[in-house]
Amino acid sequence: MNRHSFDSRVKGVSLGTTILAVKFAGGVIIGSDSRASMGGSYVSSKVINKLVQVHDRIFCCMSGSLADAQAITRAAKFQLAFHSIQMDEPPLVMAAASIMQELCYQHKEELSAGFITAGWDRKKGPQVYSVSMGGMLVSQPFTIGGSGSTYIYGYADAKYKPGMTREECQTFAVNALALAMGRDNVSGGVAHLAIISEKGEDMKEDADRALSQSRCVMGNSKAKE
Amino acid sequence: MSEEMFPEPEWLSEEVKTGTTIIAVTFDGGVVLGSDSRVSAGESVVNRVMNKLSPLHDKIYCALSGSAADAQTIAEIVNYQLDVHSIEVEDDPLVCSAATLVKNISYKYKEELSAHLIVAGWDRKKGGQVYATLNGLLSRQPFAIGGSGSFYIHGFVDAEYRKNMTKRESQEFVVNALTLAMGRDGSSGGVAYVVTIDKGGAEEKCILGNELPRFFDQ
Protein backbone atom coordinates (compact mmCIF):
# COMPACT_ATOMS: atom_id res chain seq x y z
CA MET A 1 0.00 0.00 0.00
CA ASN A 2 1.45 3.40 -0.89
CA ARG A 3 1.44 6.45 1.31
CA HIS A 4 -1.79 7.78 -0.15
CA SER A 5 -3.91 4.99 1.26
CA PHE A 6 -5.93 5.32 4.46
CA ASP A 7 -4.37 8.69 5.19
CA SER A 8 -6.72 10.34 7.59
CA ARG A 9 -4.09 12.91 8.45
CA VAL A 10 -4.79 14.77 5.24
CA LYS A 11 -5.03 18.51 5.45
CA GLY A 12 -8.02 19.78 7.27
CA VAL A 13 -11.36 18.15 6.66
CA SER A 14 -11.13 14.74 5.10
CA LEU A 15 -13.69 12.54 3.44
CA GLY A 16 -12.97 9.29 5.18
CA THR A 17 -15.73 7.76 3.20
CA THR A 18 -17.44 4.95 1.35
CA ILE A 19 -18.31 5.50 -2.29
CA LEU A 20 -19.44 3.11 -4.95
CA ALA A 21 -20.92 2.88 -8.40
CA VAL A 22 -22.62 -0.05 -10.14
CA LYS A 23 -23.62 -0.48 -13.76
CA PHE A 24 -26.88 -2.14 -14.79
CA ALA A 25 -28.49 -2.61 -18.19
CA GLY A 26 -29.65 0.85 -19.12
CA GLY A 27 -27.94 2.93 -16.47
CA VAL A 28 -25.69 3.31 -13.46
CA ILE A 29 -26.24 3.78 -9.76
CA ILE A 30 -23.71 5.88 -7.89
CA GLY A 31 -23.78 6.20 -4.10
CA SER A 32 -21.94 7.50 -1.08
CA ASP A 33 -22.26 8.03 2.65
CA SER A 34 -22.56 11.53 4.10
CA ARG A 35 -19.91 11.99 6.78
CA ALA A 36 -16.99 14.44 6.67
CA SER A 37 -14.49 14.07 9.51
CA MET A 38 -11.48 15.87 10.86
CA GLY A 39 -8.69 13.67 12.13
CA GLY A 40 -10.88 10.62 12.54
CA SER A 41 -12.44 11.71 15.83
CA TYR A 42 -14.57 14.75 15.00
CA VAL A 43 -17.40 14.68 12.51
CA SER A 44 -17.48 18.07 10.87
CA SER A 45 -20.54 17.35 8.80
CA LYS A 46 -23.17 14.62 9.08
CA VAL A 47 -24.99 15.36 5.86
CA ILE A 48 -22.45 16.34 3.28
CA ASN A 49 -23.31 15.34 -0.27
CA LYS A 50 -20.34 13.75 -1.94
CA LEU A 51 -22.13 13.23 -5.22
CA VAL A 52 -21.41 16.05 -7.64
CA GLN A 53 -23.25 16.39 -10.90
CA VAL A 54 -20.61 17.43 -13.42
CA HIS A 55 -22.98 17.26 -16.35
CA ASP A 56 -26.57 16.25 -17.10
CA ARG A 57 -25.93 12.54 -17.12
CA ILE A 58 -22.50 12.35 -15.47
CA PHE A 59 -21.93 12.23 -11.71
CA CYS A 60 -18.75 12.11 -9.66
CA CYS A 61 -18.28 11.02 -6.11
CA MET A 62 -15.42 12.30 -4.00
CA SER A 63 -13.08 10.77 -1.47
CA GLY A 64 -9.90 11.93 0.28
CA SER A 65 -9.36 15.55 1.17
CA LEU A 66 -12.61 17.49 0.84
CA ALA A 67 -10.92 20.71 -0.24
CA ASP A 68 -8.91 19.01 -2.97
CA ALA A 69 -11.90 17.03 -4.16
CA GLN A 70 -14.13 20.06 -4.40
CA ALA A 71 -11.46 22.05 -6.24
CA ILE A 72 -10.96 19.25 -8.75
CA THR A 73 -14.66 18.71 -9.38
CA ARG A 74 -15.25 22.41 -9.90
CA ALA A 75 -12.40 22.63 -12.38
CA ALA A 76 -13.62 19.50 -14.13
CA LYS A 77 -17.20 20.77 -14.30
CA PHE A 78 -16.02 23.94 -15.97
CA GLN A 79 -13.79 22.16 -18.45
CA LEU A 80 -16.50 19.67 -19.27
CA ALA A 81 -19.07 22.39 -19.91
CA PHE A 82 -16.64 24.15 -22.20
CA HIS A 83 -15.83 20.91 -24.02
CA SER A 84 -19.49 20.12 -24.44
CA ILE A 85 -20.17 23.51 -26.01
CA GLN A 86 -17.24 23.12 -28.38
CA MET A 87 -18.37 19.66 -29.50
CA ASP A 88 -21.99 20.77 -29.59
CA GLU A 89 -23.20 17.56 -27.99
CA PRO A 90 -23.35 16.04 -24.50
CA PRO A 91 -19.92 14.91 -23.33
CA LEU A 92 -18.84 11.29 -23.07
CA VAL A 93 -18.44 9.83 -19.59
CA MET A 94 -14.91 8.94 -20.65
CA ALA A 95 -14.26 12.62 -21.32
CA ALA A 96 -15.31 13.56 -17.79
CA ALA A 97 -13.21 10.79 -16.30
CA SER A 98 -10.19 11.79 -18.39
CA ILE A 99 -10.42 15.37 -17.25
CA MET A 100 -10.44 14.27 -13.61
CA GLN A 101 -7.55 11.93 -14.30
CA GLU A 102 -5.43 14.65 -15.94
CA LEU A 103 -5.95 16.91 -12.97
CA CYS A 104 -5.16 14.17 -10.45
CA TYR A 105 -2.07 12.99 -12.30
CA GLN A 106 -0.53 16.35 -13.19
CA HIS A 107 -0.83 17.56 -9.62
CA LYS A 108 -0.32 14.27 -7.85
CA GLU A 109 2.23 15.69 -5.42
CA GLU A 110 -0.07 18.37 -4.05
CA LEU A 111 -3.44 16.69 -4.18
CA SER A 112 -4.90 13.77 -2.36
CA ALA A 113 -8.35 12.97 -3.63
CA GLY A 114 -9.84 10.00 -5.43
CA PHE A 115 -13.05 9.80 -7.46
CA ILE A 116 -15.56 7.54 -9.05
CA THR A 117 -17.09 8.92 -12.23
CA ALA A 118 -20.22 7.29 -13.59
CA GLY A 119 -22.86 8.18 -16.10
CA TRP A 120 -24.56 7.47 -19.36
CA ASP A 121 -23.73 8.61 -22.87
CA ARG A 122 -25.02 7.78 -26.29
CA LYS A 123 -21.83 6.15 -27.52
CA LYS A 124 -21.17 3.49 -24.91
CA GLY A 125 -24.21 3.61 -22.69
CA PRO A 126 -23.77 3.26 -18.93
CA GLN A 127 -20.16 3.38 -17.69
CA VAL A 128 -18.28 3.44 -14.41
CA TYR A 129 -14.73 4.79 -14.13
CA SER A 130 -12.50 4.82 -11.11
CA VAL A 131 -9.89 7.60 -10.87
CA SER A 132 -7.56 6.80 -8.01
CA MET A 133 -5.43 9.24 -6.04
CA GLY A 134 -2.29 8.99 -8.15
CA GLY A 135 -4.21 9.45 -11.37
CA MET A 136 -4.95 5.92 -12.57
CA LEU A 137 -8.08 5.60 -14.69
CA VAL A 138 -9.79 2.27 -15.02
CA SER A 139 -13.21 1.25 -16.27
CA GLN A 140 -15.07 -1.47 -14.37
CA PRO A 141 -18.60 -2.88 -14.15
CA PHE A 142 -18.74 -1.77 -10.55
CA THR A 143 -16.27 -0.17 -8.20
CA ILE A 144 -15.99 0.76 -4.54
CA GLY A 145 -13.72 3.35 -2.99
CA GLY A 146 -12.85 5.32 0.10
CA SER A 147 -11.69 4.14 3.49
CA GLY A 148 -14.87 2.22 4.19
CA SER A 149 -14.55 0.18 1.03
CA THR A 150 -12.00 -2.23 2.53
CA TYR A 151 -14.72 -3.74 4.70
CA ILE A 152 -17.03 -4.49 1.83
CA TYR A 153 -14.65 -5.97 -0.74
CA GLY A 154 -15.72 -9.43 0.29
CA TYR A 155 -19.42 -8.55 0.25
CA ALA A 156 -19.18 -6.82 -3.14
CA ASP A 157 -17.23 -9.69 -4.71
CA ALA A 158 -19.77 -12.17 -3.40
CA LYS A 159 -22.96 -10.31 -4.27
CA TYR A 160 -22.27 -8.62 -7.56
CA LYS A 161 -23.54 -10.48 -10.61
CA PRO A 162 -23.29 -9.09 -14.11
CA GLY A 163 -26.69 -8.29 -15.61
CA MET A 164 -28.58 -7.31 -12.45
CA THR A 165 -31.76 -5.30 -12.76
CA ARG A 166 -32.04 -1.76 -11.51
CA GLU A 167 -33.83 -2.78 -8.29
CA GLU A 168 -31.23 -5.45 -7.53
CA CYS A 169 -28.43 -2.95 -8.09
CA GLN A 170 -30.13 -0.47 -5.81
CA THR A 171 -30.42 -3.07 -3.04
CA PHE A 172 -26.80 -4.09 -3.60
CA ALA A 173 -25.63 -0.48 -3.36
CA VAL A 174 -27.62 0.37 -0.24
CA ASN A 175 -26.63 -2.83 1.56
CA ALA A 176 -22.96 -2.36 0.74
CA LEU A 177 -23.01 1.24 1.96
CA ALA A 178 -24.84 0.25 5.14
CA LEU A 179 -22.33 -2.51 5.93
CA ALA A 180 -19.36 -0.23 5.34
CA MET A 181 -20.87 2.53 7.44
CA GLY A 182 -21.42 0.00 10.20
CA ARG A 183 -17.74 -0.91 10.37
CA ASP A 184 -15.84 2.23 9.34
CA ASN A 185 -15.85 4.97 11.93
CA VAL A 186 -15.20 7.71 9.37
CA SER A 187 -18.16 6.74 7.18
CA GLY A 188 -21.71 7.26 8.31
CA GLY A 189 -24.82 9.39 8.26
CA VAL A 190 -27.20 8.75 5.40
CA ALA A 191 -26.69 7.05 2.07
CA HIS A 192 -26.99 9.28 -0.99
CA LEU A 193 -27.80 7.54 -4.25
CA ALA A 194 -28.09 8.82 -7.79
CA ILE A 195 -29.58 6.70 -10.55
CA ILE A 196 -28.54 7.76 -14.04
CA SER A 197 -30.18 6.28 -17.09
CA GLU A 198 -31.02 7.18 -20.60
CA LYS A 199 -34.53 8.19 -19.67
CA GLY A 200 -35.28 11.44 -21.29
CA GLU A 201 -35.96 10.02 -24.69
CA ASP A 202 -35.28 13.14 -26.65
CA MET A 203 -31.74 14.43 -26.33
CA LYS A 204 -32.76 17.95 -27.19
CA GLU A 205 -35.22 18.23 -24.29
CA ASP A 206 -33.93 20.65 -21.77
CA ALA A 207 -32.49 19.85 -18.37
CA ASP A 208 -35.71 20.34 -16.44
CA ARG A 209 -36.65 16.83 -17.44
CA ALA A 210 -35.53 14.41 -14.76
CA LEU A 211 -32.63 12.75 -16.48
CA SER A 212 -31.31 11.46 -13.24
CA GLN A 213 -33.10 10.82 -9.97
CA SER A 214 -31.52 11.55 -6.63
CA ARG A 215 -32.64 9.50 -3.66
CA CYS A 216 -31.58 9.97 -0.08
CA VAL A 217 -31.82 6.93 2.20
CA MET A 218 -32.10 7.89 5.86
CA GLY A 219 -29.95 6.18 8.49
CA ASN A 220 -32.72 4.37 10.29
CA SER A 221 -34.07 2.69 7.21
CA LYS A 222 -30.87 1.11 5.97
CA ALA A 223 -30.44 -2.59 5.46
CA LYS A 224 -30.53 -4.70 8.61
CA GLU A 225 -27.15 -5.19 10.24
CA MET B 1 31.38 -3.99 -4.32
CA SER B 2 29.73 -7.37 -4.06
CA GLU B 3 27.35 -6.17 -1.34
CA GLU B 4 25.98 -3.41 -3.53
CA MET B 5 25.56 -5.59 -6.57
CA PHE B 6 23.77 -8.34 -4.66
CA PRO B 7 22.03 -6.78 -1.69
CA GLU B 8 20.85 -9.19 0.94
CA PRO B 9 17.35 -10.36 0.07
CA GLU B 10 14.89 -8.61 2.28
CA TRP B 11 13.21 -11.81 3.38
CA LEU B 12 16.30 -12.66 5.41
CA SER B 13 15.80 -9.67 7.63
CA GLU B 14 12.02 -9.22 7.61
CA GLU B 15 10.06 -10.74 10.42
CA VAL B 16 8.00 -13.72 9.37
CA LYS B 17 4.35 -12.89 9.74
CA THR B 18 1.32 -14.90 9.04
CA GLY B 19 -0.48 -12.01 7.35
CA THR B 20 -3.53 -14.09 7.16
CA THR B 21 -7.23 -14.69 7.27
CA ILE B 22 -8.72 -16.75 10.06
CA ILE B 23 -12.33 -17.34 10.94
CA ALA B 24 -14.28 -19.42 13.44
CA VAL B 25 -18.07 -19.90 13.53
CA THR B 26 -20.38 -21.70 15.94
CA PHE B 27 -23.21 -23.83 14.70
CA ASP B 28 -25.76 -25.85 16.57
CA GLY B 29 -23.62 -28.67 17.97
CA GLY B 30 -20.07 -27.46 17.34
CA VAL B 31 -17.74 -25.04 15.64
CA VAL B 32 -16.03 -24.66 12.27
CA LEU B 33 -12.61 -23.03 12.02
CA GLY B 34 -10.95 -21.94 8.80
CA SER B 35 -7.70 -20.38 7.71
CA ASP B 36 -5.63 -19.68 4.63
CA SER B 37 -2.10 -21.06 4.25
CA ARG B 38 0.23 -18.22 3.34
CA VAL B 39 3.19 -17.12 5.47
CA SER B 40 4.95 -14.00 4.25
CA ALA B 41 8.19 -12.24 5.17
CA GLY B 42 7.91 -8.78 3.73
CA GLU B 43 7.00 -9.33 0.11
CA SER B 44 8.05 -12.97 -0.19
CA VAL B 45 5.91 -15.94 0.58
CA VAL B 46 8.06 -18.22 2.69
CA ASN B 47 5.50 -20.97 3.15
CA ARG B 48 2.47 -21.42 0.96
CA VAL B 49 0.94 -24.46 2.64
CA MET B 50 1.14 -23.76 6.35
CA ASN B 51 -1.73 -25.01 8.45
CA LYS B 52 -2.64 -22.24 10.82
CA LEU B 53 -5.22 -24.28 12.71
CA SER B 54 -3.35 -25.75 15.62
CA PRO B 55 -4.82 -28.29 18.05
CA LEU B 56 -4.77 -27.36 21.73
CA HIS B 57 -6.64 -30.49 22.75
CA ASP B 58 -8.79 -33.18 21.15
CA LYS B 59 -11.79 -30.94 20.68
CA ILE B 60 -10.21 -27.50 21.03
CA TYR B 61 -8.32 -25.81 18.23
CA CYS B 62 -6.85 -22.38 17.81
CA ALA B 63 -6.29 -20.28 14.69
CA LEU B 64 -3.02 -18.38 14.47
CA SER B 65 -2.39 -14.91 13.07
CA GLY B 66 0.18 -12.15 13.42
CA SER B 67 3.80 -13.06 13.98
CA ALA B 68 4.27 -16.74 13.10
CA ALA B 69 6.82 -17.43 15.81
CA ASP B 70 4.83 -15.75 18.55
CA ALA B 71 1.60 -17.47 17.61
CA GLN B 72 3.15 -20.93 17.38
CA THR B 73 4.88 -20.50 20.71
CA ILE B 74 1.70 -19.47 22.45
CA ALA B 75 -0.12 -22.44 20.96
CA GLU B 76 2.57 -24.87 22.12
CA ILE B 77 2.69 -23.47 25.64
CA VAL B 78 -1.09 -23.59 25.99
CA ASN B 79 -1.16 -27.12 24.58
CA TYR B 80 1.18 -28.18 27.37
CA GLN B 81 -0.70 -26.29 30.06
CA LEU B 82 -4.01 -27.78 28.93
CA ASP B 83 -2.60 -31.30 29.07
CA VAL B 84 -1.49 -30.77 32.64
CA HIS B 85 -4.83 -29.19 33.54
CA SER B 86 -6.87 -31.98 32.03
CA ILE B 87 -4.88 -34.60 33.96
CA GLU B 88 -5.44 -32.67 37.16
CA VAL B 89 -9.21 -32.44 36.70
CA GLU B 90 -9.41 -35.92 35.16
CA ASP B 91 -11.67 -34.71 32.41
CA ASP B 92 -11.59 -32.96 29.06
CA PRO B 93 -10.83 -29.27 29.47
CA LEU B 94 -13.40 -26.59 28.80
CA VAL B 95 -12.97 -24.30 25.80
CA CYS B 96 -13.21 -21.41 28.20
CA SER B 97 -10.15 -22.72 30.07
CA ALA B 98 -8.13 -22.96 26.89
CA ALA B 99 -9.14 -19.46 25.88
CA THR B 100 -8.28 -18.11 29.33
CA LEU B 101 -4.81 -19.67 29.17
CA VAL B 102 -4.22 -18.06 25.78
CA LYS B 103 -5.54 -14.76 27.04
CA ASN B 104 -3.27 -14.83 30.08
CA ILE B 105 -0.18 -15.18 27.94
CA SER B 106 -1.35 -12.58 25.42
CA TYR B 107 -2.11 -10.10 28.15
CA LYS B 108 0.97 -10.64 30.29
CA TYR B 109 3.35 -10.31 27.36
CA LYS B 110 1.32 -7.92 25.27
CA GLU B 111 4.26 -5.55 24.73
CA GLU B 112 6.55 -8.27 23.41
CA LEU B 113 4.16 -10.45 21.47
CA SER B 114 2.18 -9.62 18.40
CA ALA B 115 -0.10 -12.50 17.72
CA HIS B 116 -3.83 -12.91 17.75
CA LEU B 117 -5.32 -16.32 18.33
CA ILE B 118 -8.93 -17.32 17.96
CA VAL B 119 -9.78 -20.28 20.21
CA ALA B 120 -12.72 -22.51 19.32
CA GLY B 121 -13.94 -25.95 20.28
CA TRP B 122 -16.61 -28.12 21.80
CA ASP B 123 -17.10 -29.17 25.39
CA ARG B 124 -19.83 -30.99 27.24
CA LYS B 125 -20.83 -28.03 29.35
CA LYS B 126 -21.56 -25.33 26.78
CA GLY B 127 -21.30 -27.02 23.39
CA GLY B 128 -19.59 -25.17 20.58
CA GLN B 129 -17.89 -21.91 21.53
CA VAL B 130 -15.64 -19.32 19.85
CA TYR B 131 -13.41 -16.97 21.82
CA ALA B 132 -11.44 -14.02 20.49
CA THR B 133 -8.29 -13.14 22.44
CA LEU B 134 -7.00 -10.05 20.67
CA ASN B 135 -4.35 -8.17 22.70
CA GLY B 136 -5.32 -9.85 25.93
CA LEU B 137 -9.06 -9.38 25.71
CA LEU B 138 -11.25 -12.45 26.18
CA SER B 139 -14.57 -12.28 24.41
CA ARG B 140 -16.97 -15.07 23.57
CA GLN B 141 -18.69 -14.48 20.25
CA PRO B 142 -20.96 -16.36 17.85
CA PHE B 143 -18.22 -16.02 15.25
CA ALA B 144 -14.85 -14.29 14.99
CA ILE B 145 -12.57 -13.23 12.16
CA GLY B 146 -8.96 -12.17 12.38
CA GLY B 147 -5.79 -11.43 10.48
CA SER B 148 -5.00 -8.91 7.79
CA GLY B 149 -7.46 -10.43 5.34
CA SER B 150 -10.35 -10.10 7.74
CA PHE B 151 -10.86 -6.40 7.03
CA TYR B 152 -12.08 -7.18 3.54
CA ILE B 153 -14.77 -9.55 4.71
CA HIS B 154 -16.26 -7.62 7.62
CA GLY B 155 -19.12 -6.51 5.40
CA PHE B 156 -19.65 -9.99 4.01
CA VAL B 157 -19.78 -11.77 7.36
CA ASP B 158 -21.98 -9.05 8.88
CA ALA B 159 -24.45 -9.56 6.05
CA GLU B 160 -24.32 -13.33 5.72
CA TYR B 161 -24.01 -14.71 9.24
CA ARG B 162 -27.21 -16.11 10.67
CA LYS B 163 -27.72 -17.79 14.01
CA ASN B 164 -28.38 -21.51 14.09
CA MET B 165 -26.85 -22.48 10.78
CA THR B 166 -26.38 -26.16 10.11
CA LYS B 167 -22.93 -27.75 9.99
CA ARG B 168 -22.94 -27.73 6.20
CA GLU B 169 -24.01 -24.10 5.96
CA SER B 170 -21.33 -23.06 8.44
CA GLN B 171 -18.66 -24.85 6.46
CA GLU B 172 -19.81 -23.12 3.29
CA PHE B 173 -19.90 -19.78 5.07
CA VAL B 174 -16.31 -20.27 6.27
CA VAL B 175 -15.03 -21.35 2.85
CA ASN B 176 -16.78 -18.46 1.09
CA ALA B 177 -15.41 -15.93 3.55
CA LEU B 178 -11.87 -17.30 3.23
CA THR B 179 -12.06 -17.30 -0.56
CA LEU B 180 -13.21 -13.71 -0.70
CA ALA B 181 -10.51 -12.57 1.70
CA MET B 182 -7.79 -14.49 -0.13
CA GLY B 183 -8.92 -12.87 -3.34
CA ARG B 184 -8.36 -9.38 -2.01
CA ASP B 185 -5.59 -9.59 0.60
CA GLY B 186 -2.06 -9.88 -0.74
CA SER B 187 -0.90 -11.57 2.46
CA SER B 188 -3.51 -14.33 2.37
CA GLY B 189 -3.67 -17.12 -0.14
CA GLY B 190 -2.82 -20.67 -0.96
CA VAL B 191 -5.22 -23.34 0.16
CA ALA B 192 -8.01 -23.25 2.71
CA TYR B 193 -7.84 -25.40 5.82
CA VAL B 194 -11.14 -26.15 7.52
CA VAL B 195 -11.59 -27.94 10.84
CA THR B 196 -15.03 -28.98 12.08
CA ILE B 197 -15.34 -29.83 15.76
CA ASP B 198 -18.41 -31.39 17.33
CA LYS B 199 -19.08 -33.90 20.06
CA GLY B 200 -17.73 -36.71 17.89
CA GLY B 201 -14.29 -35.13 17.53
CA ALA B 202 -12.40 -32.93 15.11
CA GLU B 203 -12.35 -33.38 11.36
CA GLU B 204 -9.66 -31.63 9.30
CA LYS B 205 -10.06 -30.82 5.65
CA CYS B 206 -7.89 -29.07 3.10
CA ILE B 207 -9.49 -27.38 0.11
CA LEU B 208 -7.10 -26.76 -2.77
CA GLY B 209 -7.03 -23.51 -4.71
CA ASN B 210 -8.85 -24.80 -7.73
CA GLU B 211 -11.64 -26.30 -5.63
CA LEU B 212 -12.50 -23.01 -3.94
CA PRO B 213 -15.74 -21.32 -4.98
CA ARG B 214 -15.60 -18.79 -7.78
CA PHE B 215 -16.82 -15.26 -7.31
CA PHE B 216 -17.09 -12.31 -9.65
CA ASP B 217 -13.56 -11.61 -10.65
CA GLN B 218 -12.95 -8.55 -12.80
Side-chain angles (χ1 to χ4, degrees):
Chain A
M1 290 284 188
N2 60 22
R3 66 188 161 84
H4 288 297
S5 321
F6 313 137
D7 189 8
S8 66
R9 288 159 290 145
V10 288
K11 15 202 152 125
V13 179
S14 108
L15 294 175
T17 182
T18 312
I19 51 178
L20 50 75
V22 193
K23 193 164 67 168
F24 62 91
V28 295
I29 296 184
I30 190 168
S32 78
D33 70 308
S34 70
R35 178 174 290 184
S37 55
M38 228 146 84
S41 59
Y42 173 65
V43 176
S44 52
S45 171
K46 293 186 278 185
V47 287
I48 195 171
N49 191 350
K50 303 176 194 177
L51 300 182
V52 177
Q53 185 166 16
V54 293
H55 208 264
D56 294 342
R57 289 194 181 98
I58 306 176
F59 272 72
C60 259
C61 44
M62 321 187 257
S63 70
S65 154
L66 176 56
D68 290 348
Q70 284 187 337
I72 295 174
T73 45
R74 287 178 64 192
K77 204 166 163 178
F78 165 75
Q79 290 186 25
L80 202 58
F82 194 60
H83 169 76
S84 164
I85 288 169
Q86 280 185 314
M87 306 296 286
D88 198 23
E89 65 173 19
L92 300 178
V93 187
M94 179 57 156
S98 299
I99 291 172
M100 320 269 319
Q101 185 233 357
E102 273 294 303
L103 291 166
C104 287
Y105 183 70
Q106 295 296 343
H107 305 285
K108 65 166 22 165
E109 303 303 324
E110 297 108 5
L111 298 173
S112 79
F115 302 90
I116 295 178
T117 306
W120 184 94
D121 63 46
R122 181 158 272 194
K123 190 170 168 195
K124 287 195 195 164
Q127 295 145 76
V128 170
Y129 293 93
S130 168
V131 180
S132 64
M133 267 185 209
M136 174 179 85
L137 172 65
V138 67
S139 165
Q140 295 173 290
F142 79 96
T143 189
I144 56 182
S147 60
S149 67
T150 46
Y151 303 104
I152 47 172
Y153 272 109
Y155 180 79
D157 284 342
K159 292 289 163 176
Y160 176 77
K161 314 254 169 322
M164 290 198 282
T165 66
R166 178 178 142 153
E167 285 68 33
E168 287 170 342
C169 277
Q170 206 165 302
T171 315
F172 170 75
V174 173
N175 285 348
L177 284 172
L179 290 165
M181 290 196 257
R183 284 289 179 178
D184 185 24
N185 65 336
V186 289
S187 299
V190 302
H192 289 288
L193 289 182
I195 305 163
I196 310 157
S197 61
E198 63 175 305
K199 262 194 234 157
E201 308 81 42
D202 189 354
M203 289 286 290
K204 296 199 187 90
E205 289 277 315
D206 80 28
D208 281 351
R209 236 333 160 105
L211 295 171
S212 55
Q213 305 167 16
S214 277
R215 268 192 45 171
C216 188
V217 179
M218 305 300 288
N220 61 357
S221 69
K222 282 182 298 198
K224 63 136 178 89
E225 299 278 342
Chain B
M1 180 169 88
S2 58
E3 277 96 28
E4 283 127 37
M5 279 180 61
F6 301 108
E8 181 188 81
E10 65 166 42
W11 54 263
L12 283 178
S13 49
E14 289 273 349
E15 191 197 347
V16 173
K17 289 191 153 274
T18 59
T20 186
T21 310
I22 51 177
I23 173 171
V25 181
T26 42
F27 64 90
D28 190 24
V31 296
V32 180
L33 290 103
S35 83
D36 72 308
S37 68
R38 179 173 292 183
V39 180
S40 47
E43 287 168 1
S44 323
V45 175
V46 295
N47 187 342
R48 57 190 167 95
V49 285
M50 168 159 177
N51 190 342
K52 299 174 193 173
L53 302 177
S54 179
L56 297 176
H57 207 259
D58 297 336
K59 296 193 188 102
I60 307 177
Y61 270 65
C62 71
L64 317 172
S65 76
S67 154
D70 290 349
Q72 280 188 334
T73 308
I74 297 176
E76 276 173 26
I77 293 174
V78 173
N79 188 344
Y80 164 76
Q81 289 175 339
L82 264 187
D83 275 345
V84 170
H85 171 71
S86 84
I87 288 170
E88 281 175 349
V89 299
E90 289 177 10
D91 198 0
D92 284 337
L94 298 176
V95 187
C96 184
S97 315
T100 307
L101 290 169
V102 172
K103 180 265 287 179
N104 287 342
I105 301 177
S106 300
Y107 182 70
K108 187 164 177 194
Y109 300 103
K110 79 180 341 196
E111 305 302 324
E112 295 101 329
L113 297 176
S114 72
H116 168 34
L117 275 67
I118 296 178
V119 179
W122 184 94
D123 64 44
R124 238 191 353 241
K125 194 168 165 193
K126 289 190 191 164
Q129 299 144 72
V130 168
Y131 291 87
T133 66
L134 178 65
N135 272 341
L137 152 98
L138 179 63
S139 154
R140 182 176 170 198
Q141 298 170 196
F143 72 92
I145 56 180
S148 57
S150 69
F151 294 113
Y152 301 100
I153 49 173
H154 271 298
F156 176 77
V157 300
D158 283 343
E160 293 295 298
Y161 175 76
R162 285 155 293 127
K163 286 199 251 211
N164 301 327
M165 288 196 281
T166 66
K167 177 154 106 171
R168 179 134 203 104
E169 287 169 345
S170 309
Q171 286 170 331
E172 267 175 38
F173 174 73
V174 163
V175 171
N176 285 345
L178 286 172
T179 309
L180 290 164
M182 293 200 272
R184 286 289 179 179
D185 181 28
S187 325
S188 301
V191 303
Y193 289 103
V194 178
V195 168
T196 312
I197 309 175
D198 57 18
K199 86 169 179 224
E203 180 202 325
E204 295 193 17
K205 211 157 60 154
C206 170
I207 302 176
L208 299 180
N210 59 348
E211 294 161 10
L212 291 170
R214 296 274 157 85
F215 290 100
F216 183 75
D217 210 357
Q218 261 182 41

